[in-house]
Amino acid sequence: MTIQREFMTQIFKTKDQWESGLSYRLNFEKDEGITLFSVLTFTKWIGEPDDKMYLFCWNKIPGKDETLLKEFLMYNFSIDWIATAEIQKINENTIKLFIDNKYVLLHLINEKTKVDLFISDNRKHELIAKEEKGRVNIFAKMNPAAVALDECGLVYVLDSTSCKFYCYDVLSGKRIGTSCIGGCGKDIGKFYDPKKIIFDTYTLWVLDMGNKRLQGFSRENYQIKYVIDKFIGDNNIPEYIKNPVDFIMDKKGNIYILDLRGYKNSKILKYDNHGIQIKLPQSCFKELNEPLSLTVGKENILYILDKKCKNGEDKGFKACILKFSDEGKYLGYIDLAIPVDNESNQYQDFVPSIITIDKNGIFFIADAEFIYQFAPDGSFIGTVQIPGLKDEITGIAVDNKNNLYVSCNKGIASFSMQSRFTKEKGYFYSRTLDNGKEKSQWHGLSLEGNIPPKAVIEVYYYSVNDLNLKESIDKIISDPEKSIINKRISIENIINNKWIGPEILSISEKSGKKPNTLNDEILYLEQKTRLDMLFRENTGRYLWVKIALSTVDENLSPSIDQMKVFYPRKSYLGYLPAIYQENPIGQDDPVSKDFLERFLSIFETVFYDLETRIYDIYKYFDPDTVDSKLFLNWLASWLNIAIEDKWDENIKRTFIHDAYTLYKQKGTLAGIEKLIEIYTGKKPLIREPSRIGKPMILNDKGTFRLGINSLLLKTPVRGFRLGEDSILGRAALIDGDIFEVSGNPYSISHWFTVVLDLSLKDNTFDENMLKRILDREKPAHTMYNLIFTGDMKGGSEVYVGMNTMMPDQEHFILGDNSIIGSGILMMGGEHAGKVELHSKVEKDAELT
């Protein structure tokens, strides 16, 4: 009996199939499927809560610390007149600096624990006071201007108050010693309003924004190496950098500086890691409008955060990411928008300032108070909040584990990319599904994946027979110029709230019982992940499915590995009498029919699974289709094949596939060659001395007699083989290695050597495993040597084509690389020359 499946299906399983649709706020898993994105979780503050920097001693004003106080006010509050100001200590708790009608007042209060600072332009600030050994020392709370991580995972902080570096150990969170580098000022090696730091292998780079330059320091001794403050302009005229606001370094060591010069006048300047400018064409970066920050991702793609993108669409958001190659070629843009809620197309105000990217292509963009996480396509993932943030974010950095570090006035906050998932809904829009017939209806949908109890899946669908509508949606999905956000908005506008649904799919709590046997495991895997639904409404030829994923528990995320859409419309209702297929007499309400159809679909799902298993049973006996984890070893046991657990899956499948041929050749040279080639990927050379030549036996009956027609040399000379049964310059026709092992010259008929062009250091195979294969497959009465030519050095045996190469020789071509009469003259002997140039006839040349 042949079982025929009644349904046809359209399947979404592989990454290419999922990517044929539209994913918004969804991540593609490594084992092919869609799930929600992970979000950052706050872990701790780096550094001590009372981190502070010494400024001056209250007791030494006026006096020795006047200069320290004035420098602090000059570089932290941009008070240019303070250098010539007079200083007076009005009383024990008040200091005044003034010139004309401008002044700065410092009041020591709260039992000498705090200093209130007032400036005549209505600015206020607070300093820390501490009484130590009879003196009152004044400190400023650390104000991180930038954060960076070196290759060892140490966190470096650049303080804007002292213009110095501070280093912290991530594990302990404590400050460790740093070299004396920096300080506030305009001199080379000092900073004024520093904004960013980056490490490369040999250099520490600092963006000195106040002094309009980029400085590079040696990481060995922190001596100044480079100062970048000018560039060659468009007319080859040197110009100074006017307003550097950010810089980044790509994987090649090239530096990109963002020089902000107003609307549409900003420049991206490129330098190598020695500070030498790399000039780009004038047309590069012309798409910039109001750039704010930049970062670099995979393949050295440059991402520039722009406050006001001009992309031709006005959807209530303007910020975007512009993409450029490392040569300045424009690659498109990514829209950025933060939805007000999941259901509407309204977006909240968003004024970004800083951007960075992790190794997975996730963007982290900061504004004054929050950090927003965006997917590589620009879809919004979630908001990262900093506990107790009092002031604006000044810097963000990502380590090689995708942990995030944020600098602000409160300190350095660290975030970890743990197994927490966004509570924002993720959406998947299928491509247009076509069943091929105008009046054919769609039947239902099945989802398989890891769907925890606290996860919710909402399914919407929409179906029509309108070809024009189908072409419009296809054009939107395939449009390379549209961003993901705009594509989603366009699809929603076309369908215009005509989605049927949502159909809520979820599962109840599981008992948690672990499977004990292979059959239990198979049933457990299949039962825990299968969700089905019927399409209730009448459907047309073209169908679109929208799936919304969400989770109540941040620690659990639903993932869908496979989606099947079934057609044409068939149900077990058709097997019942006609009265059950009709509505109640005199009623238009189809509730009865709909309920019965859905009730029968429960049994239909069970029976369909059974029918499908029976129909697909051939897959369990095919090494190319059988499940690798559950049935591959089981299939091998049917054929009595001893396969190793450590073998690669493809090797196992090949062994099983070729089992019939290998059994026929078991113990033969061809069979052993094939086995080794399957396992190692290299065809071996197998030498059999008994097939190479016949042994020379010295006795009184043989052909060879010692002293008459044979001669023993004291030191036999190894030579090379001529043909198959003779050796030039050698007295014995026996492999020395074999004789040394066996001691019996007649044993060569039971010995063979396997030569393999691999090294023992090669991690693609295991030598002991290879020997087990040989021991299992060789004839029982034989022995072997195993030689790896990849490990041979000078003086070892040479095998042409394995551990040697013959270089290609240039052919002698008349008319191309030689000319008769002026080139090389070829003759029958060894003479050659150039006629009329350096040869004389009958002396050193000969004409033939």
Side-chain angles (χ1 to χ4, degrees):
M1 175 181 176
T2 303
I3 295 182
Q4 298 290 340
R5 288 188 289 189
E6 297 186 43
F7 294 112
M8 291 183 285
T9 60
Q10 297 202 23
I11 300 176
F12 290 80
K13 185 175 183 180
T14 67
K15 187 175 181 180
D16 289 340
Q17 289 169 337
W18 287 114
E19 288 182 338
S20 67
L22 184 67
S23 296
Y24 176 75
R25 217 184 279 156
L26 289 176
N27 189 22
F28 289 103
E29 293 189 306
K30 292 181 180 179
D31 53 350
E32 298 178 346
I34 54 175
T35 186
L36 297 174
F37 276 97
S38 297
V39 294
L40 290 167
T41 305
F42 175 79
T43 54
K44 62 182 178 181
W45 289 97
I46 302 294
E48 301 295 334
D50 60 346
D51 274 351
K52 54 187 178 296
M53 283 69 61
Y54 174 81
L55 296 179
F56 62 92
C57 177
W58 188 270
N59 306 84
K60 296 180 181 180
I61 302 292
K64 292 183 179 180
D65 284 1
E66 287 182 16
T67 303
L68 294 176
L69 175 56
K70 287 185 175 182
E71 286 183 352
F72 166 70
L73 295 172
M74 180 184 298
Y75 292 114
N76 285 275
F77 299 96
S78 302
I79 305 176
D80 53 1
W81 52 265
I82 204 72
T84 57
E86 293 185 39
I87 298 181
Q88 289 183 358
K89 185 172 282 187
I90 298 175
N91 54 51
E92 185 179 351
N93 294 328
T94 306
I95 295 174
K96 182 178 182 180
L97 296 88
F98 62 95
I99 183 171
D100 298 330
N101 60 344
K102 302 172 186 176
Y103 63 87
V104 174
L105 287 176
L106 293 93
H107 293 293
L108 182 61
I109 58 177
N110 290 353
E111 297 180 352
K112 300 180 180 179
T113 60
K114 186 175 75 169
V115 173
D116 285 336
L117 186 151
F118 299 92
I119 306 174
S120 56
D121 57 7
N122 296 322
R123 284 184 288 171
K124 298 178 181 180
H125 193 70
E126 186 178 292
L127 302 176
I128 301 170
K130 189 174 182 181
E131 196 166 7
E132 299 173 324
K133 297 180 181 180
R135 297 186 302 179
V136 178
N137 293 324
I138 309 302
F139 301 86
K141 186 167 175 40
M142 204 169 115
N143 185 19
V147 60
L149 292 97
D150 66 7
E151 58 274 11
C152 299
L154 296 177
V155 178
Y156 284 79
V157 179
L158 181 56
D159 176 57
S160 62
T161 302
S162 62
C163 302
K164 289 185 177 292
F165 289 92
Y166 297 89
C167 182
Y168 294 89
D169 177 56
V170 174
L171 296 178
S172 65
K174 294 183 178 180
R175 188 193 300 179
I176 59 178
T178 54
S179 176
C180 182
I181 177 176
C184 296
K186 296 185 178 181
D187 297 334
I188 299 298
K190 294 185 179 295
F191 314 120
Y192 176 33
D193 193 16
K195 284 297 179 184
K196 192 171 185 179
I197 49 178
I198 289 179
F199 291 92
D200 67 14
T201 306
Y202 304 105
T203 309
L204 165 63
W205 296 92
V206 182
L207 178 61
D208 186 10
M209 194 171 80
N211 290 318
K212 306 183 189 313
R213 64 194 178 193
L214 185 68
Q215 298 192 72
F217 299 85
S218 169
R219 294 187 61 183
E220 183 177 351
N221 53 21
Y222 292 103
Q223 296 296 313
I224 188 72
K225 292 170 62 178
Y226 312 109
V227 176
I228 302 175
D229 60 356
K230 57 177 71 72
F231 65 97
I232 303 299
D234 295 337
N235 297 320
N236 293 323
I237 299 174
E239 297 183 44
Y240 279 94
I241 297 174
K242 291 186 177 181
N243 187 22
V245 295
D246 199 4
F247 82 106
I248 197 66
M249 179 175 288
D250 67 14
K251 304 300 185 294
K252 299 178 182 178
N254 296 319
I255 299 169
Y256 303 85
I257 300 176
L258 173 56
D259 190 12
L260 193 61
R261 298 186 169 203
Y263 185 69
K264 283 199 168 184
N265 291 319
S266 299
K267 293 181 177 294
I268 302 294
L269 306 172
K270 184 177 180 180
Y271 300 83
D272 65 14
N273 57 1
H274 299 292
I276 300 174
Q277 183 184 358
I278 301 175
K279 202 163 182 190
L280 298 171
Q282 294 184 19
S283 59
C284 291
F285 305 109
K286 64 180 181 180
E287 290 80 9
L288 298 179
N289 290 300
E290 293 186 23
L292 302 170
S293 180
L294 71 168
T295 188
V296 67
K298 293 180 180 179
E299 300 177 355
N300 284 334
I301 294 178
L302 197 63
Y303 299 96
I304 301 177
L305 178 64
D306 202 301
K307 181 180 178 181
K308 191 175 182 180
C309 288
K310 203 170 184 180
N311 49 45
E313 302 217 25
D314 186 5
K315 300 296 181 182
F317 48 88
K318 292 294 183 182
C320 77
I321 300 171
L322 300 172
K323 300 190 297 183
F324 297 89
S325 71
D326 55 356
E327 297 299 328
K329 181 182 178 181
Y330 180 62
L331 302 176
Y333 69 94
I334 302 171
D335 271 329
L336 298 175
I338 304 173
V340 174
D341 54 58
N342 284 313
E343 305 304 328
S344 69
N345 291 328
Q346 301 298 317
Y347 299 90
Q348 67 186 54
D349 291 336
F350 176 49
V351 184
S353 58
I354 307 171
I355 184 173
T356 192
I357 189 173
D358 70 9
K359 63 182 180 182
N360 294 325
I362 304 298
F363 296 105
F364 299 97
I365 299 177
D367 64 6
E369 298 180 3
F370 304 105
I371 293 179
Y372 302 99
Q373 190 175 345
F374 292 89
D377 56 32
S379 57
F380 175 68
I381 297 174
T383 302
V384 182
Q385 294 186 338
I386 302 175
L389 178 64
K390 295 181 180 180
D391 211 331
E392 66 177 345
I393 295 167
T394 57
I396 49 179
V398 180
D399 66 11
N400 55 10
K401 296 181 180 179
N402 287 343
N403 297 317
L404 191 73
Y405 298 85
V406 182
S407 61
C408 59
N409 280 1
K410 190 175 179 180
I412 305 298
S414 64
F415 294 83
S416 174
M417 187 67 81
Q418 299 174 346
S419 297
R420 287 185 174 272
F421 302 92
T422 177
K423 287 187 176 180
E424 305 287 344
K425 283 186 180 179
Y427 293 89
F428 172 76
Y429 296 79
S430 74
R431 67 177 187 275
T432 302
L433 304 179
D434 184 358
N435 62 28
K437 295 182 180 180
E438 291 293 334
K439 296 183 180 181
S440 178
Q441 295 186 0
W442 298 86
H443 179 73
L445 175 143
S446 171
L447 299 176
E448 295 180 12
N450 183 14
I451 305 169
K454 293 185 179 181
V456 178
I457 298 177
E458 302 170 29
V459 179
Y460 304 78
Y461 60 95
Y462 178 62
S463 183
V464 295
N465 290 306
D466 188 348
L467 179 60
N468 293 328
L469 182 64
K470 179 255 184 188
E471 291 177 347
S472 298
I473 295 180
D474 285 347
K475 184 178 180 181
I476 291 170
I477 292 177
S478 61
D479 188 354
E481 300 297 325
K482 273 185 175 290
S483 66
I484 295 295
I485 299 174
N486 282 324
K487 287 181 179 180
R488 178 173 180 258
I489 292 172
S490 299
I491 291 175
E492 292 289 353
N493 288 339
I494 287 178
I495 295 180
N496 195 20
N497 298 322
K498 295 177 182 177
W499 293 105
I500 300 172
E503 188 83 22
I504 306 298
L505 303 181
S506 61
I507 62 174
S508 60
E509 293 284 349
K510 292 291 178 181
S511 62
K513 180 182 177 182
K514 285 191 174 182
N516 296 320
T517 65
L518 182 62
N519 289 333
D520 290 340
E521 183 174 357
I522 297 168
L523 291 173
Y524 181 77
L525 288 173
E526 292 182 354
Q527 290 175 1
K528 75 170 185 175
T529 61
R530 178 72 179 269
L531 296 173
D532 299 272
M533 60 163 281
L534 286 174
F535 295 129
R536 297 190 190 183
E537 305 288 336
N538 291 334
T539 54
R541 173 175 178 174
Y542 307 111
L543 175 73
W544 295 272
V545 176
K546 179 173 76 169
I547 300 176
L549 275 66
S550 60
T551 181
V552 177
D553 188 344
E554 287 183 330
N555 297 310
L556 300 172
S557 173
S559 63
I560 300 176
D561 301 328
Q562 179 176 273
M563 178 175 76
K564 287 184 180 179
V565 181
F566 300 90
Y567 66 98
R569 181 74 170 185
K570 291 182 180 180
S571 73
Y572 284 3
L573 198 63
Y575 296 101
L576 297 181
I579 190 172
Y580 294 100
Q581 304 177 36
E582 299 173 354
N583 298 330
I585 298 175
Q587 296 184 23
D588 296 328
D589 186 7
V591 173
S592 176
K593 175 183 176 183
D594 179 66
F595 171 78
L596 185 56
E597 187 174 33
R598 293 176 62 201
F599 177 76
L600 292 174
S601 70
I602 299 173
F603 304 96
E604 181 184 339
T605 299
V606 175
F607 292 143
Y608 176 79
D609 288 344
L610 294 174
E611 292 171 357
T612 300
R613 285 190 196 176
I614 297 171
Y615 183 85
D616 292 338
I617 197 169
Y618 71 92
K619 295 180 180 179
Y620 294 95
F621 307 106
D622 187 341
D624 293 329
T625 58
V626 68
D627 186 278
S628 60
K629 295 180 180 178
L630 301 177
F631 291 107
L632 197 56
N633 291 354
W634 167 79
L635 182 59
S637 67
W638 275 39
L639 301 172
N640 195 28
I641 299 175
I643 61 177
E644 303 274 355
D645 290 335
K646 294 182 180 179
W647 285 358
D648 181 76
E649 178 184 322
N650 293 328
I651 294 177
K652 292 181 181 181
R653 294 187 188 277
T654 305
F655 263 104
I656 297 171
H657 189 275
D658 295 344
Y660 175 76
T661 304
L662 292 172
Y663 270 122
K664 290 173 63 176
Q665 298 177 336
K666 188 176 179 68
T668 66
L669 184 145
I672 295 173
E673 276 185 351
K674 182 66 175 175
L675 279 167
I676 296 175
E677 186 177 3
I678 291 173
Y679 176 56
T680 64
K682 293 276 189 176
K683 186 174 182 179
L685 169 65
I686 298 180
R687 299 187 307 170
E688 296 181 275
S690 61
R691 295 167 62 97
I692 294 175
K694 299 177 181 179
M696 180 181 70
I697 302 174
L698 300 176
N699 57 24
D700 57 349
K701 297 180 181 180
T703 306
F704 300 96
R705 295 183 180 181
L706 186 62
I708 299 177
N709 58 356
S710 61
L711 177 65
L712 292 180
L713 302 177
K714 183 177 181 181
T715 306
V717 180
R718 285 184 176 271
F720 57 88
R721 292 181 175 79
L722 299 175
E724 293 186 353
D725 55 4
S726 61
I727 300 176
L728 180 63
R730 189 170 179 182
L733 298 180
I734 185 171
D735 192 319
D737 296 333
I738 297 175
F739 182 76
E740 289 174 9
V741 175
S742 66
N744 180 4
Y746 293 97
S747 65
I748 61 173
S749 60
H750 307 293
W751 200 280
F752 64 93
T753 300
V754 178
V755 183
L756 194 57
D757 186 20
L758 284 171
S759 171
L760 286 173
K761 298 178 181 178
D762 197 313
N763 59 5
T764 59
F765 78 102
D766 185 302
E767 181 188 7
N768 294 327
M769 200 176 292
L770 180 58
K771 288 181 178 179
R772 286 199 294 271
I773 294 174
L774 285 169
D775 291 338
R776 222 166 28 226
E777 301 298 329
K778 70 178 181 63
H781 60 282
T782 61
M783 295 175 286
Y784 64 87
N785 275 343
L786 187 57
I787 298 174
F788 298 96
T789 62
D791 294 320
M792 289 184 172
K793 299 180 180 179
S796 301
E797 292 193 49
V798 175
Y799 298 88
V800 176
M802 296 190 74
N803 58 354
T804 60
M805 289 184 64
M806 298 299 291
D808 294 333
Q809 300 293 328
E810 185 179 358
H811 294 287
F812 180 85
I813 303 174
L814 292 178
D816 187 357
N817 55 4
S818 61
I819 302 174
I820 295 179
S822 62
I824 299 175
L825 182 63
M826 303 300 295
M827 300 184 305
E830 296 181 354
H831 302 287
K834 294 182 180 179
V835 179
E836 296 181 352
L837 287 177
H838 59 75
S839 59
K840 296 181 179 179
V841 180
E842 297 183 353
K843 288 191 176 182
D844 60 353
E846 181 178 344
L847 297 177
T848 59

